[in-house]
Coordinates of all heavy atoms in Angstrom, one line a residue:
M1 N 0.8 -1.2 0.0 CA 0.0 0.0 0.0 C 0.9 1.3 0.0 O 1.9 1.3 0.7 CB -0.9 0.0 1.2 CG -1.8 1.2 1.3 SD -2.8 1.3 2.8 CE -4.3 0.3 2.3
N2 N 0.5 2.2 -0.8 CA 1.2 3.5 -0.8 C 1.1 4.2 0.5 O 0.0 4.3 1.1 CB 0.6 4.3 -2.0 CG 1.4 5.6 -2.2 OD1 1.4 6.5 -1.3 ND2 1.9 5.8 -3.4
V3 N 2.2 4.9 1.0 CA 2.1 5.6 2.2 C 1.0 6.6 2.3 O 0.4 6.9 3.3 CB 3.5 6.2 2.6 CG1 3.9 7.3 1.6 CG2 3.5 6.7 4.0
C4 N 0.7 7.2 1.1 CA -0.3 8.3 1.0 C -1.7 7.7 1.4 O -2.5 8.5 1.9 CB -0.3 8.9 -0.3 SG 1.2 9.8 -0.8
Q5 N -1.9 6.5 1.2 CA -3.2 5.9 1.5 C -3.4 5.7 3.0 O -4.5 5.3 3.4 CB -3.4 4.5 0.8 CG -3.5 4.7 -0.7 CD -3.5 3.4 -1.5 OE1 -2.4 2.7 -1.7 NE2 -4.6 3.0 -1.9
T6 N -2.3 5.9 3.8 CA -2.4 5.8 5.2 C -2.2 7.2 5.8 O -1.9 7.3 7.0 CB -1.4 4.8 5.8 OG1 -0.1 5.2 5.5 CG2 -1.7 3.4 5.3
C7 N -2.3 8.2 5.0 CA -1.9 9.6 5.4 C -3.1 10.6 5.1 O -4.0 10.7 5.9 CB -0.6 10.0 4.8 SG -0.1 11.7 5.2
G8 N -3.0 11.2 4.0 CA -4.0 12.2 3.6 C -3.8 13.6 4.2 O -4.6 14.5 4.0
A9 N -2.6 13.8 4.8 CA -2.4 15.1 5.5 C -2.4 16.3 4.5 O -3.0 17.3 4.9 CB -1.1 15.0 6.2
C10 N -1.9 16.1 3.3 CA -1.8 17.3 2.4 C -3.2 17.6 1.9 O -3.5 18.8 1.6 CB -0.9 17.0 1.3 SG -1.2 15.5 0.4
C11 N -4.2 16.7 1.9 CA -5.5 17.0 1.5 C -6.3 17.6 2.6 O -7.5 18.0 2.4 CB -6.2 15.7 1.1 SG -5.3 14.7 -0.1
A12 N -5.7 17.8 3.8 CA -6.4 18.4 4.9 C -5.5 19.5 5.5 O -5.4 19.7 6.7 CB -6.7 17.3 6.0
S13 N -4.7 20.1 4.7 CA -3.7 21.1 5.2 C -3.7 22.4 4.3 O -3.5 23.5 4.9 CB -2.3 20.6 5.2 OG -2.2 19.5 6.1
F14 N -3.9 22.3 3.0 CA -3.7 23.4 2.1 C -4.9 23.7 1.3 O -5.6 22.8 0.9 CB -2.5 23.1 1.2 CG -1.2 22.6 1.9 CD1 -0.8 21.4 1.7 CD2 -0.6 23.5 2.8 CE1 0.4 20.9 2.4 CE2 0.6 23.1 3.5 CZ 1.0 21.8 3.3
R15 N -5.0 25.0 0.9 CA -6.0 25.4 -0.1 C -5.6 24.7 -1.4 O -4.4 24.7 -1.8 CB -6.0 26.9 -0.3 CG -6.7 27.6 0.8 CD -6.7 29.1 0.6 NE -7.2 29.8 1.8 CZ -7.0 31.1 2.1 NH1 -6.3 31.8 1.3 NH2 -7.6 31.6 3.1
V16 N -6.6 24.2 -2.2 CA -6.3 23.6 -3.5 C -7.0 24.5 -4.5 O -8.2 24.3 -4.7 CB -6.7 22.2 -3.5 CG1 -6.4 21.6 -4.9 CG2 -6.0 21.4 -2.4
D17 N -6.3 25.3 -5.2 CA -6.8 26.2 -6.2 C -6.3 25.8 -7.6 O -5.1 25.4 -7.7 CB -6.4 27.6 -6.0 CG -7.0 28.2 -4.7 OD1 -7.9 27.6 -4.2 OD2 -6.6 29.4 -4.3
F18 N -7.1 25.9 -8.6 CA -6.7 25.6 -10.0 C -7.5 26.3 -11.0 O -8.5 27.0 -10.6 CB -6.7 24.1 -10.2 CG -8.1 23.4 -9.9 CD1 -9.0 23.2 -11.0 CD2 -8.5 23.1 -8.6 CE1 -10.2 22.6 -10.7 CE2 -9.7 22.5 -8.4 CZ -10.6 22.3 -9.5
H19 N -7.1 26.2 -12.2 CA -7.8 27.0 -13.3 C -9.2 26.2 -13.6 O -9.2 25.0 -13.7 CB -7.0 27.1 -14.5 CG -7.5 28.1 -15.5 ND1 -8.5 27.8 -16.4 CD2 -7.1 29.4 -15.7 CE1 -8.7 28.9 -17.1 NE2 -7.9 29.9 -16.7
P20 N -10.2 27.0 -13.9 CA -11.5 26.3 -14.2 C -11.4 25.5 -15.5 O -12.4 24.7 -15.7 CB -12.5 27.5 -14.4 CG -11.7 28.8 -14.1 CD -10.3 28.4 -13.7
A21 N -10.4 25.6 -16.3 CA -10.3 24.8 -17.5 C -10.1 23.3 -17.1 O -10.3 22.4 -17.9 CB -9.1 25.2 -18.4
E22 N -9.8 23.0 -15.8 CA -9.6 21.6 -15.4 C -10.9 21.1 -14.8 O -11.0 19.9 -14.4 CB -8.5 21.5 -14.3 CG -7.1 21.8 -14.8 CD -6.0 21.6 -13.8 OE1 -6.0 20.5 -13.2 OE2 -5.2 22.4 -13.7
L23 N -12.0 21.9 -14.8 CA -13.3 21.4 -14.4 C -13.9 20.5 -15.5 O -13.4 20.5 -16.6 CB -14.2 22.6 -14.1 CG -13.9 23.4 -12.9 CD1 -14.8 24.7 -12.9 CD2 -14.1 22.7 -11.6
A24 N -14.9 19.7 -15.1 CA -15.6 18.8 -16.0 C -16.0 19.6 -17.3 O -16.6 20.7 -17.1 CB -16.8 18.2 -15.4
G25 N -15.6 19.1 -18.4 CA -16.0 19.8 -19.7 C -15.0 20.9 -20.1 O -15.1 21.4 -21.2
G26 N -14.0 21.1 -19.2 CA -13.0 22.2 -19.5 C -11.9 21.7 -20.5 O -11.7 20.5 -20.7
A27 N -11.3 22.7 -21.1 CA -10.3 22.3 -22.2 C -9.1 21.6 -21.6 O -8.4 20.9 -22.4 CB -9.8 23.6 -22.9
F28 N -8.8 21.8 -20.4 CA -7.6 21.1 -19.8 C -8.0 20.1 -18.7 O -7.2 19.8 -17.8 CB -6.6 22.1 -19.3 CG -6.0 23.0 -20.4 CD1 -6.5 24.2 -20.7 CD2 -5.0 22.4 -21.2 CE1 -5.9 25.0 -21.7 CE2 -4.4 23.2 -22.2 CZ -4.9 24.5 -22.5
A29 N -9.2 19.6 -18.8 CA -9.6 18.6 -17.8 C -8.8 17.3 -17.9 O -8.5 16.9 -19.0 CB -11.1 18.3 -18.0
W30 N -8.5 16.7 -16.8 CA -7.9 15.4 -16.7 C -9.1 14.4 -16.8 O -9.9 14.4 -15.9 CB -7.1 15.2 -15.5 CG -6.0 16.2 -15.3 CD1 -6.1 17.4 -14.7 CD2 -4.6 16.0 -15.7 NE1 -4.9 18.0 -14.7 CE2 -4.0 17.2 -15.3 CE3 -3.9 15.0 -16.3 CZ2 -2.6 17.4 -15.5 CZ3 -2.6 15.2 -16.5 CH2 -1.9 16.4 -16.2
G31 N -9.2 13.6 -17.8 CA -10.3 12.7 -17.9 C -11.6 13.5 -18.0 O -11.7 14.4 -18.8
Q32 N -12.5 13.1 -17.2 CA -13.8 13.8 -17.2 C -13.8 15.1 -16.5 O -14.7 15.9 -16.6 CB -14.9 12.9 -16.5 CG -15.1 11.6 -17.2 CD -15.7 11.8 -18.6 OE1 -16.6 12.5 -18.8 NE2 -15.0 11.1 -19.6
G33 N -12.6 15.4 -15.8 CA -12.5 16.7 -15.2 C -13.1 16.7 -13.7 O -13.8 15.8 -13.4
V34 N -12.7 17.7 -13.0 CA -13.1 17.8 -11.6 C -14.6 18.2 -11.6 O -15.0 19.2 -12.2 CB -12.3 18.9 -10.9 CG1 -12.8 19.1 -9.4 CG2 -10.8 18.6 -10.9
P35 N -15.4 17.5 -10.8 CA -16.9 17.8 -10.7 C -17.0 19.3 -10.2 O -16.5 19.6 -9.2 CB -17.4 16.8 -9.7 CG -16.5 15.7 -9.8 CD -15.1 16.3 -10.0
V36 N -17.8 20.0 -11.0 CA -18.0 21.4 -10.6 C -18.6 21.6 -9.2 O -18.2 22.5 -8.5 CB -18.9 22.1 -11.7 CG1 -19.2 23.6 -11.3 CG2 -18.3 22.0 -13.1
D37 N -19.5 20.7 -8.8 CA -20.1 20.9 -7.5 C -19.2 20.6 -6.4 O -19.6 20.8 -5.2 CB -21.4 20.0 -7.5 CG -21.2 18.5 -7.6 OD1 -20.0 18.1 -7.8 OD2 -22.1 17.8 -7.5
L38 N -18.0 20.2 -6.6 CA -17.0 20.0 -5.5 C -16.1 21.3 -5.4 O -15.2 21.3 -4.6 CB -16.1 18.8 -5.7 CG -16.8 17.4 -5.8 CD1 -15.8 16.3 -5.9 CD2 -17.7 17.3 -4.6
T39 N -16.4 22.3 -6.1 CA -15.6 23.5 -6.2 C -16.4 24.8 -5.9 O -17.6 24.8 -6.0 CB -14.9 23.6 -7.5 OG1 -15.8 23.9 -8.5 CG2 -14.1 22.4 -7.9
V40 N -15.7 25.8 -5.5 CA -16.3 27.1 -5.5 C -15.4 28.1 -6.3 O -14.2 28.0 -6.3 CB -16.3 27.7 -4.0 CG1 -17.4 26.9 -3.2 CG2 -15.0 27.6 -3.3
P41 N -16.1 29.0 -7.0 CA -15.3 30.0 -7.8 C -14.6 31.0 -6.9 O -15.2 31.4 -5.9 CB -16.4 30.6 -8.7 CG -17.7 30.4 -8.0 CD -17.5 29.2 -7.2
V42 N -13.4 31.4 -7.2 CA -12.7 32.4 -6.4 C -12.5 33.6 -7.2 O -12.8 34.7 -6.8 CB -11.3 31.8 -6.0 CG1 -10.5 32.9 -5.2 CG2 -11.5 30.5 -5.1
T43 N -12.0 33.5 -8.4 CA -12.0 34.6 -9.4 C -12.3 33.9 -10.8 O -12.5 32.7 -10.9 CB -10.5 35.1 -9.5 OG1 -9.7 34.2 -10.2 CG2 -10.0 35.5 -8.2
P44 N -12.4 34.7 -11.8 CA -12.7 34.1 -13.1 C -11.7 33.1 -13.6 O -12.0 32.2 -14.4 CB -12.8 35.3 -14.1 CG -13.2 36.5 -13.2 CD -12.5 36.2 -11.9
A45 N -10.5 33.2 -13.0 CA -9.4 32.3 -13.4 C -9.0 31.3 -12.4 O -8.1 30.5 -12.6 CB -8.2 33.1 -13.8
V46 N -9.8 31.3 -11.3 CA -9.4 30.3 -10.2 C -10.7 29.7 -9.6 O -11.6 30.4 -9.3 CB -8.6 31.1 -9.1 CG1 -8.3 30.1 -7.9 CG2 -7.3 31.7 -9.6
V47 N -10.6 28.4 -9.4 CA -11.7 27.7 -8.6 C -10.9 27.0 -7.5 O -9.7 26.7 -7.5 CB -12.5 26.7 -9.4 CG1 -13.4 27.4 -10.4 CG2 -11.6 25.7 -10.1
R48 N -11.7 26.7 -6.4 CA -11.1 26.0 -5.2 C -11.9 24.8 -4.8 O -13.1 24.8 -4.8 CB -11.1 27.0 -4.1 CG -10.5 26.5 -2.8 CD -10.4 27.7 -1.8 NE -9.4 28.7 -2.3 CZ -9.3 30.0 -1.9 NH1 -10.2 30.4 -1.0 NH2 -8.4 30.7 -2.4
L49 N -11.2 23.7 -4.5 CA -11.8 22.5 -4.0 C -12.5 22.9 -2.7 O -11.9 23.4 -1.8 CB -10.8 21.4 -3.8 CG -10.5 20.6 -5.1 CD1 -9.3 19.7 -4.9 CD2 -11.7 19.8 -5.5
C50 N -13.8 22.5 -2.6 CA -14.5 22.8 -1.4 C -13.9 22.1 -0.2 O -13.4 21.0 -0.2 CB -16.0 22.2 -1.5 SG -17.0 23.1 -2.7
G51 N -13.9 22.8 0.9 CA -13.4 22.3 2.2 C -11.9 22.6 2.4 O -11.4 22.6 3.5
T52 N -11.2 23.0 1.3 CA -9.7 23.2 1.5 C -9.4 24.5 2.1 O -8.3 24.8 2.5 CB -8.9 23.0 0.2 OG1 -9.3 24.0 -0.8 CG2 -9.1 21.6 -0.4
D53 N -10.4 25.4 2.2 CA -10.2 26.7 3.0 C -11.1 26.7 4.2 O -11.2 27.8 4.8 CB -10.5 27.9 2.1 CG -11.9 27.9 1.6 OD1 -12.7 27.0 1.9 OD2 -12.3 28.9 0.9
A54 N -11.5 25.6 4.6 CA -12.3 25.5 5.9 C -11.3 25.5 7.1 O -10.1 25.5 6.9 CB -13.1 24.2 5.9
S55 N -11.8 25.6 8.3 CA -11.0 25.6 9.4 C -11.5 24.6 10.4 O -12.5 24.8 11.1 CB -11.0 27.0 10.1 OG -10.1 27.0 11.2
P56 N -10.8 23.4 10.5 CA -9.6 23.0 9.8 C -9.9 22.6 8.4 O -11.0 22.2 8.1 CB -9.1 21.9 10.6 CG -10.3 21.2 11.2 CD -11.2 22.4 11.5
P57 N -8.9 22.7 7.5 CA -9.2 22.4 6.1 C -9.3 20.9 5.9 O -8.7 20.1 6.6 CB -7.9 22.9 5.4 CG -6.9 23.0 6.4 CD -7.6 23.3 7.7
R58 N -10.1 20.5 5.0 CA -10.2 19.1 4.6 C -11.0 19.1 3.2 O -12.2 19.5 3.2 CB -10.9 18.2 5.6 CG -11.0 16.8 5.1 CD -11.6 15.8 6.1 NE -11.8 14.5 5.5 CZ -11.5 13.3 6.0 NH1 -10.9 13.2 7.1 NH2 -11.8 12.2 5.3
C59 N -10.3 18.6 2.2 CA -11.0 18.5 0.9 C -12.2 17.6 1.0 O -12.2 16.5 1.5 CB -10.0 18.0 -0.1 SG -10.7 17.8 -1.8
V60 N -13.3 18.0 0.4 CA -14.5 17.3 0.4 C -14.4 15.9 -0.4 O -15.2 15.0 -0.2 CB -15.7 18.0 -0.2 CG1 -16.1 19.2 0.7 CG2 -15.5 18.5 -1.6
A61 N -13.4 15.9 -1.2 CA -13.2 14.6 -2.0 C -12.4 13.6 -1.2 O -12.3 12.4 -1.7 CB -12.5 14.9 -3.3
L62 N -11.9 13.9 -0.1 CA -11.1 13.0 0.7 C -12.1 12.1 1.6 O -12.9 12.6 2.4 CB -10.1 13.7 1.6 CG -9.2 12.8 2.4 CD1 -8.2 12.1 1.4 CD2 -8.4 13.5 3.4
A63 N -12.0 10.8 1.4 CA -12.7 9.8 2.2 C -11.8 9.1 3.2 O -10.6 9.0 2.9 CB -13.4 8.8 1.3
G64 N -12.3 8.7 4.3 CA -11.6 7.9 5.3 C -11.1 8.7 6.5 O -11.5 9.9 6.7
E65 N -10.2 8.1 7.2 CA -9.7 8.7 8.4 C -8.2 9.1 8.3 O -7.4 8.2 7.9 CB -9.8 7.7 9.6 CG -9.4 8.2 10.9 CD -9.6 7.2 12.1 OE1 -10.2 6.1 11.8 OE2 -9.1 7.5 13.2
L66 N -7.9 10.3 8.5 CA -6.6 10.8 8.4 C -5.6 10.0 9.2 O -5.9 9.7 10.4 CB -6.5 12.3 8.8 CG -7.0 13.4 7.9 CD1 -7.0 14.7 8.6 CD2 -6.2 13.4 6.6
G67 N -4.5 9.7 8.6 CA -3.4 9.0 9.3 C -3.7 7.5 9.5 O -2.9 6.8 10.1
V68 N -4.8 7.0 9.0 CA -5.2 5.6 9.1 C -5.4 5.0 7.7 O -4.6 4.1 7.3 CB -6.4 5.4 10.0 CG1 -6.8 4.0 10.1 CG2 -6.2 6.1 11.4
A69 N -6.5 5.4 7.1 CA -6.8 4.9 5.8 C -7.6 5.9 5.0 O -8.7 6.3 5.5 CB -7.5 3.6 5.8
V70 N -7.1 6.5 4.0 CA -7.8 7.5 3.2 C -7.9 7.2 1.7 O -7.1 6.4 1.2 CB -7.2 8.9 3.4 CG1 -7.3 9.4 4.8 CG2 -5.7 8.9 3.0
Q71 N -8.7 7.9 1.0 CA -8.9 7.7 -0.4 C -9.4 9.0 -1.0 O -10.3 9.6 -0.5 CB -9.9 6.6 -0.7 CG -10.1 6.3 -2.2 CD -11.2 5.3 -2.4 OE1 -11.9 4.9 -1.5 NE2 -11.3 4.8 -3.6
C72 N -8.8 9.4 -2.2 CA -9.3 10.5 -2.9 C -10.4 9.9 -3.8 O -10.2 9.1 -4.7 CB -8.2 11.1 -3.8 SG -8.8 12.3 -5.0
T73 N -11.6 10.4 -3.6 CA -12.8 9.9 -4.3 C -12.8 10.4 -5.8 O -13.7 9.9 -6.5 CB -14.1 10.2 -3.6 OG1 -14.2 11.6 -3.5 CG2 -14.1 9.6 -2.2
I74 N -11.9 11.3 -6.1 CA -11.9 11.8 -7.5 C -10.5 11.6 -8.1 O -10.1 12.4 -8.9 CB -12.4 13.2 -7.7 CG1 -11.5 14.2 -6.8 CG2 -13.9 13.3 -7.3 CD1 -11.8 15.7 -7.2
Y75 N -9.8 10.6 -7.6 CA -8.4 10.4 -8.0 C -8.1 10.5 -9.5 O -7.2 11.2 -9.9 CB -7.9 9.1 -7.4 CG -6.4 8.9 -7.5 CD1 -5.6 9.5 -6.6 CD2 -5.8 8.2 -8.6 CE1 -4.2 9.3 -6.7 CE2 -4.5 8.0 -8.7 CZ -3.6 8.6 -7.8 OH -2.3 8.5 -7.9
D76 N -8.9 9.9 -10.3 CA -8.6 9.9 -11.7 C -8.8 11.2 -12.4 O -8.2 11.4 -13.5 CB -9.4 8.8 -12.4 CG -9.0 7.4 -12.1 OD1 -7.9 7.2 -11.5 OD2 -9.8 6.5 -12.3
V77 N -9.5 12.1 -11.8 CA -9.8 13.4 -12.4 C -9.3 14.5 -11.5 O -9.7 15.7 -11.8 CB -11.3 13.5 -12.7 CG1 -11.8 12.4 -13.6 CG2 -12.2 13.5 -11.4
R78 N -8.5 14.2 -10.5 CA -8.1 15.3 -9.6 C -7.3 16.4 -10.4 O -6.7 16.1 -11.4 CB -7.2 14.7 -8.5 CG -5.9 14.1 -8.9 CD -5.3 13.2 -7.9 NE -3.9 12.8 -8.1 CZ -3.5 12.0 -9.1 NH1 -4.4 11.4 -9.9 NH2 -2.3 11.7 -9.2
P79 N -7.3 17.6 -9.9 CA -6.6 18.7 -10.6 C -5.1 18.7 -10.4 O -4.5 17.9 -9.6 CB -7.2 19.9 -9.9 CG -7.5 19.5 -8.5 CD -7.9 18.1 -8.6
S80 N -4.5 19.5 -11.2 CA -3.0 19.5 -11.3 C -2.3 19.8 -10.0 O -1.2 19.1 -9.7 CB -2.5 20.5 -12.3 OG -3.1 21.8 -12.2
P81 N -2.8 20.6 -9.0 CA -2.0 20.8 -7.8 C -1.9 19.5 -7.0 O -0.9 19.2 -6.4 CB -2.9 21.8 -7.0 CG -3.7 22.5 -8.0 CD -3.9 21.5 -9.1
C82 N -3.0 18.7 -7.1 CA -2.9 17.3 -6.4 C -2.0 16.4 -7.1 O -1.3 15.6 -6.5 CB -4.3 16.7 -6.4 SG -5.6 17.8 -5.7
R83 N -1.9 16.5 -8.5 CA -1.0 15.7 -9.2 C 0.5 16.0 -9.0 O 1.4 15.2 -9.1 CB -1.3 15.8 -10.7 CG -2.6 15.2 -11.0 CD -3.1 15.5 -12.5 NE -4.5 15.0 -12.6 CZ -4.8 13.8 -12.9 NH1 -3.9 12.9 -13.3 NH2 -6.1 13.4 -13.0
E84 N 0.7 17.3 -8.6 CA 2.1 17.8 -8.4 C 2.6 17.6 -7.0 O 3.8 17.7 -6.7 CB 2.2 19.3 -8.8 CG 2.0 19.5 -10.3 CD 1.5 20.9 -10.6 OE1 1.5 21.8 -9.7 OE2 1.2 21.2 -11.8
F85 N 1.7 17.2 -6.1 CA 2.0 17.1 -4.7 C 2.2 15.6 -4.4 O 1.3 14.8 -4.6 CB 0.9 17.6 -3.8 CG 1.4 18.0 -2.4 CD1 1.6 19.3 -2.0 CD2 1.7 16.9 -1.5 CE1 2.0 19.6 -0.7 CE2 2.2 17.2 -0.2 CZ 2.3 18.5 0.2
D86 N 3.4 15.2 -4.0 CA 3.7 13.8 -3.6 C 4.6 13.8 -2.4 O 5.0 14.8 -1.8 CB 4.2 13.0 -4.8 CG 5.5 13.5 -5.3 OD1 6.2 14.3 -4.6 OD2 5.8 13.1 -6.5
T87 N 5.1 12.6 -2.1 CA 6.0 12.5 -0.9 C 7.3 13.2 -1.1 O 8.0 13.4 -0.1 CB 6.2 11.0 -0.6 OG1 6.8 10.4 -1.8 CG2 4.9 10.3 -0.2
E88 N 7.7 13.6 -2.3 CA 8.9 14.3 -2.5 C 8.7 15.8 -2.3 O 9.7 16.6 -2.3 CB 9.4 14.1 -4.0 CG 9.7 12.6 -4.3 CD 10.7 12.0 -3.3 OE1 11.8 12.7 -3.1 OE2 10.5 10.9 -2.8
H89 N 7.5 16.3 -2.2 CA 7.2 17.7 -2.1 C 7.7 18.2 -0.7 O 7.6 17.5 0.3 CB 5.7 17.9 -2.2 CG 5.3 19.3 -2.4 ND1 5.4 20.3 -1.5 CD2 4.8 19.9 -3.6 CE1 5.0 21.5 -2.0 NE2 4.7 21.3 -3.3
A90 N 8.3 19.4 -0.8 CA 8.9 20.0 0.4 C 7.9 20.1 1.6 O 8.2 20.1 2.7 CB 9.5 21.3 0.1
A91 N 6.6 20.3 1.2 CA 5.6 20.5 2.2 C 4.9 19.2 2.7 O 4.0 19.3 3.6 CB 4.5 21.5 1.7
C92 N 5.3 18.1 2.2 CA 4.8 16.8 2.6 C 4.9 16.6 4.1 O 3.9 16.4 4.8 CB 5.4 15.7 1.8 SG 5.0 14.0 2.5
N93 N 6.1 16.7 4.6 CA 6.3 16.5 6.0 C 5.8 17.6 6.9 O 5.4 17.4 8.0 CB 7.8 16.2 6.3 CG 8.3 14.8 6.1 OD1 7.4 13.9 6.1 ND2 9.5 14.6 5.8
Q94 N 5.7 18.8 6.3 CA 5.0 19.9 7.0 C 3.5 19.5 7.3 O 3.0 19.7 8.4 CB 5.1 21.1 6.2 CG 4.5 22.4 6.8 CD 4.5 23.5 5.7 OE1 5.3 23.6 4.8 NE2 3.6 24.4 5.9
A95 N 2.9 19.0 6.3 CA 1.5 18.6 6.4 C 1.4 17.4 7.4 O 0.5 17.4 8.2 CB 0.9 18.2 5.0
R96 N 2.3 16.5 7.3 CA 2.2 15.3 8.2 C 2.4 15.8 9.6 O 1.7 15.3 10.5 CB 3.3 14.3 7.8 CG 2.9 13.5 6.5 CD 4.0 12.6 6.1 NE 4.3 11.6 7.1 CZ 3.6 10.4 7.3 NH1 2.6 10.1 6.4 NH2 3.9 9.6 8.2
K97 N 3.3 16.7 9.8 CA 3.6 17.2 11.2 C 2.3 17.8 11.8 O 1.9 17.6 12.9 CB 4.7 18.2 11.2 CG 5.1 18.7 12.6 CD 6.3 19.6 12.5 CE 6.8 20.0 13.9 NZ 7.9 21.0 13.8
R98 N 1.6 18.6 10.9 CA 0.4 19.3 11.3 C -0.7 18.3 11.8 O -1.5 18.6 12.6 CB -0.1 20.1 10.1 CG -1.2 21.1 10.5 CD -1.6 21.9 9.3 NE -0.5 22.8 8.8 CZ -0.7 23.6 7.8 NH1 -1.8 23.7 7.1 NH2 0.3 24.4 7.4
Q99 N -0.6 17.1 11.2 CA -1.6 16.1 11.6 C -1.1 15.1 12.7 O -1.7 14.1 13.0 CB -2.0 15.3 10.4 CG -2.6 16.1 9.3 CD -3.9 16.8 9.7 OE1 -4.6 16.4 10.6 NE2 -4.3 17.9 9.0
G100 N 0.1 15.4 13.2 CA 0.7 14.6 14.3 C 1.3 13.3 13.8 O 1.4 12.3 14.5
L101 N 1.6 13.3 12.5 CA 2.2 12.1 11.9 C 3.7 12.2 11.8 O 4.2 13.4 11.6 CB 1.6 11.8 10.5 CG 0.1 11.6 10.4 CD1 -0.4 11.6 9.0 CD2 -0.2 10.3 11.1
P102 N 4.5 11.2 11.9 CA 5.9 11.3 11.9 C 6.4 11.6 10.5 O 5.7 11.3 9.5 CB 6.4 9.9 12.3 CG 5.2 9.0 11.9 CD 4.0 9.8 12.1
P103 N 7.6 12.3 10.4 CA 8.1 12.6 9.1 C 8.5 11.4 8.3 O 8.9 10.4 8.9 CB 9.3 13.5 9.4 CG 9.7 13.1 10.8 CD 8.4 12.7 11.5
L104 N 8.4 11.5 7.0 CA 8.9 10.4 6.1 C 10.4 10.6 5.9 O 10.8 11.8 5.7 CB 8.2 10.4 4.8 CG 6.6 10.2 4.8 CD1 6.1 10.3 3.4 CD2 6.3 8.9 5.4
P105 N 11.2 9.6 5.8 CA 12.6 9.8 5.5 C 12.7 10.3 4.1 O 12.0 9.9 3.2 CB 13.1 8.4 5.6 CG 12.0 7.4 5.6 CD 10.8 8.2 6.0
K106 N 13.6 11.3 3.9 CA 13.8 11.9 2.5 C 15.1 11.5 2.0 O 16.1 11.4 2.8 CB 13.6 13.4 2.6 CG 12.2 13.9 3.1 CD 11.2 13.6 2.1 CE 9.8 14.1 2.5 NZ 8.7 13.8 1.7
Ligands
SF4_201 S1 1.3 14.6 3.1 FE1 2.8 13.4 2.0 S2 2.6 11.2 2.6 FE2 0.7 12.4 3.2 S3 -0.7 12.0 1.6 FE3 0.3 14.0 1.2 S4 2.1 13.4 -0.1 FE4 1.3 11.5 0.8
SF4_202 S1 -8.9 16.1 -4.9 FE1 -8.2 14.3 -4.0 S2 -5.9 14.5 -4.0 FE2 -6.8 16.6 -4.3 S3 -7.0 17.5 -2.2 FE3 -8.9 16.5 -2.7 S4 -8.8 14.4 -1.8 FE4 -6.7 15.3 -2.0

C-alpha cells in the first residue's frame, strides 16, 4: 500500500486552487475533469476545492480517516495541484507534522 493511502495530510492542510479549465468539460480537464459541484469559484481564473479553505481544512473529496486509511474519491480526475504534490514535495512532512504524523525519510 502507498504511504499516502495511510496519510491524507496534504488533503487536509492546504488550499487547493486551480484553473477552471480543469473542471468537467474544460479544455484542460484530466479525464472527465473535476466535478463542478465540488468546487467554489474564487476569481474568473481560479476555482477552489470545497473544504480546503475550511478551518480546519479538509478537501470534500477525501474519504476515510486521516493517518489511518484515506482515499481520494476523484483520484482519476483530480486537478493539477494534487498531481504535483507527492511524498517528494517539500511541504509533505510539514502537512504530516500538522496532523501529528511522523516525518517520512527523505
Ligand atoms: S502529506 Fe505526503 S505522505 Fe501524506 S498524503 Fe500527502 S504526499 Fe502523501
Ligand atoms: S482532490 Fe483528492 S488529492 Fe486533491 S486534495 Fe482532494 S482528496 Fe486530496
